[in-house]
Each structure stands twice: as structure tokens, then as C-alpha cells.
Amino acid sequence: MALYRLLDVLPIFSGDHRITRLFTLVPGSEFGADALSAIDALGGRTVPWSEAGGREYDLVVAASPKGDLSLLRGPQILLPHGAGFNKSIPGEGSADSASGLDPAYLRRSHGHAPIALHALAHPEQVSRLAATDPRAARRAKVVGDPTLERFLASASLRDRYRAALGTGGRELLALVSTWGPESLIRQHPGLPARLAAQLPYDQYQLALLVHPNERSLLGAYDLAERLAPALDAGMLLPDPHEEWASVLIAADALVTDHGSAALYYCAAQDRPVVSVHRAGGELIPGSPMDVLLCGVPQLGRAEDIVDALRAYRPGSGQAAARMAFARRGEAAGLLRTEAYALLGLTPPAHRVAPRLLPSPGPAPRVPAAFDVRVENTAAGVRISRHPAGAGPPGHHLAVEHGAADERFARSAGLLYRRPLPESAAPLDAAWTAGGWTRHALSAYPGCRSAAVLLPYDRCLLRVRGHERTYAVEAEPRSEDGRIVRIDPAVTLSAVHARLLSPHPLGAGPTRMACLVGERAFHVTLRPATDAEEQRVI
């Protein structure tokens, strides 16, 4: 986390040919290997610690007071590596001291190279530093938070981030886990999978943001294997450097432990936050995170997540964030002014601006088999899909042929296919829509309906025992200037259930409603034309 804070700060020197940037890793961290790998991936130049202490530097920038920083000769800027000072790490430094304000580390750095500037984000942080180390507080200034600047500058990219994540019209629920024994991922390891089973796939998307220290301890491969049920159900696991912040901007709601990432979310927007933090020894009473967690709903069971989100009181998150951040919109300029003053240089003439956050990636795993729950109501057919095996069985199993495990295909009540990309083969062979549906019903005797998705939100559907094939077309919705489209596979489940119900349809076109959450999509069902039957897929 300290490295990523430094990477948020270093652009204050961008465009200046006089500046050379070097990285060194202070010994003692069990997360050092991953930090060096991250620097190497960025193309940064590193200096071994054994050599770093033998050189003179014009400026040293650090985001943690831990380690013998006094060996680095040159004026030093010390930054917090999170949103304020909210946690105490048991067994580390002085008992009950906030991480980042521990006098055992702050006073160690006085020696030959005292900290020239404590660059803090809020006056309250200066007061807390003064209570810990009055000498250090005399060199403290409130310059704002450079990471928050990137959040605020990137707010207008929300739609772009959601498009990259494949969120669409769903609600994106982000889970945030800090590191250590009181973190979400340690205290509630099964929560992501339980939420994936609880929340309908067509209404919610999940993302889990894991602190880089925790990812380093487990390793990316082991972490992904532990989370496999939730990831297979479509949950996102963003990169810990910048993508976590892009996902928070894209999110509609947040589930958090006591990690300070939640404060950035609350500072940038006023959307629901719920807590899963249990009482422990790490959270500092009266800190901004403590105020936040005391003011938001507590989540007990995964089954109560929707009620917990609805219980959030608007404004409570932003009130806590105001305790952590001041000088909003000024951090880059203020910090550059202070840094160049210590360098004894005039800053470049060009304006320094926060770097926009990149679009997140890669794309999530997309489930291809769903247990579909059906409820026939006076308003229409209500559809709720959950990835197969994640929750209780539904009315039928809907499976995308060619994308799902064959065992799912052989158990499907509704089997559907999406068009394949155009072939570059010198002699091509391709199914027609009508031909494939006949083939599917023959090859899978347990299947009741087979369908092909066609362009323009249309589908061709064949039901076992019915003489005719059907064309199914879903109409998009207009919502406050936006057009919302439904995945045609969802409407196929609604039509499949309607055609298998004991109430027969008339001979002509039929209009019905497919209900997904609070949305109703109008669907037209009619006999398919010969042209639709012969459509090449």
C-alpha cells in the first residue's frame, strides 16, 4: 500500500527533466517481494538497500515511518499510506499506537535525517501527530490527499468503468477487505460466495477489493482458488494498484471492514455503505473509520444484505469522510510546491493535475448455466437467475451451449446458443437457427426448449412437442434518458416458462412482460418466419 501511495504522488514531478526517480525497499517487510515485482513491472529503477544508505539524495519521499529511514541522507517527506490513522497493529511498535503515528518509528527517524515535512490530509491528523510527537508536528502541513484527488478527478469516468466491468444496468456491490486477522477476508471468508448465491445475477454484480498485503501473503493464485465459487459466479477481483479505485467509483454500494478504502468511497459519492467489522483491537476509537462504522448499518447474515443497504442513512458516510480529508482539489499543487521548496528548485511552469484512474480489467468470468426461479404474477413472469449450483434449484436450468460444462447441457430444461464469430476457414459449415434447434432437441433428450439468439434482441425458440417455432423479441426500456436492454437469454427463460405453463397461448402474436427486479421488459412472441429459421448462426 505504501508503494501505491508513492506512485500516486510521483506525478507531481512529471515533465521535469531535472528529476530522476529511484526506488529502494526498506528491509523488514514480509511483503517486499511483491513490492519489488510491482516496481519492476512499471519499469522503475531500483537501488538495493545495501547501497541506498551510501548515497546522498536531494529528496526522499516515504509513505511509512517504519524502518531506519535515517540511513537515507537527504530531506525527507513522509506521507500517510492510507486515509488517515485508523488502525493499531498488535505486536508492532508501541502498544495502542495508530499505524503511521507510532512514536517508536517517528522518533527513530529524528537522528541524522529528521523528517522535513509530514504531508498530512487533515488538521485533525496534525493534532494527533502533536499528541504523539510535538517535535514532528512542528514540521507538519495539511496538503490534502493525492489518492483522493485521483478519485475526484476520475468521477466522470464512472460510466466508462462500468462498461469495462460489464456492469450494465445492474447494481455493483463492492466488498472491501483490509489485511490482517480482523479483515473481511479473514473474518468472513465465505461471504463473497454467500452473496453470489443470494443476489440475483441479472440485478447485482459483485467485486472484492483485497488489500495488497493480503494478496501478497496468499499469492494471486491461491487467493483466486479460495474465491473460485464466487469468481465462477461472476465476481470481480480487481488489481490492487489502481483498479480498486476505479471499481469504487463504479460501485453502487459498499460492504466494508475497518480498512480506510471505504473513506475514499464515501468522500467521492454518497451511496450505501454497510459494515461487517467485528469488535477487535485494531480500530482506533474516534478515528474517521470508527465514526463511519458507528454510523452505517451492520450486516449480520448475507441473506440480509438488501435490507442492510436500504437502512443506510444518506450523508452518514460523507460526514465521516470529512474527518479524514481537507484541502480537496489542492493536494497535487500543494505537495508539488512543498517538494520543490525542499529541492531548492522552481517548479515547472505547466500545471500539475491528478492522473485519471485507468479502466479496470480483465473482464469477469461469465456464468453460462443458471438456475432460474420463475414467479407468475398478474404483471408478468418474474425471472430471477442464479449461477447453477450457487443457490437453491429453480423452475428450470438454462444453459448456454458451447460455453457451459457438458453435464449442465445434458440437464438443461432450456438450452440456448449465441452466434459464433465469423469463420476464416476456406470451406465453412454453419448451422441455421432452425437447424440447430432441431439438432439440440434431438441430441439432448432431456431438454424441453432450444433457442438461438439472433441480432436486434431477437431469438428463435423451439419447444419439444410444439408444431411451430417461435420468434421472441424483447423491447428495450427508456429510463431517465438511458436505454436499458435485457440479455435475450433472460427473456427466453420467461417465454420457456410461459409456454410450459398449463395456460395455452393463442395462435397469433402474444405480448407478455418479463420482470427482472423492479424492471418490466415487454416481450413479443409470434410464429417464426422462414427467413428467421434459415438465419445462419
Side-chain angles (χ1 to χ4, degrees), residues 107 109-111 114-115 118 129-130 132-140:
R107 290 168 187 161
S109 65
H110 284 334
I115 302 298
H118 288 265
L129 178 62
T132 300
D133 188 340
R135 178 182 172 185
R138 290 195 292 270
R139 295 184 297 275

Side-chain angles (χ1 to χ4, degrees), residues 1-21:
M1 191 61 158
L3 168 63
Y4 298 144
R5 172 52 61 96
L6 291 178
L7 294 176
D8 284 343
V9 167
L10 288 179
I12 65 172
F13 303 110
S14 64
D16 192 337
H17 67 278
R18 300 168 295 177
I19 303 295
T20 299
R21 301 148 193 81

Side-chain angles (χ1 to χ4, degrees), residues 372-376 381-383 395-396 414 449 461 491-503 512:
V372 184
R373 303 177 194 180
V374 176
E375 180 187 0
N376 289 297
V381 180
R382 183 172 297 280
I383 296 295
H395 170 271
H396 64 271
L414 167 64
S449 299
L461 174 69
T491 59
L492 281 174
S493 279
V495 173
H496 168 84
R498 181 69 179 86
L499 290 172
L500 295 182
S501 72
H503 308 292
M512 56 179 286

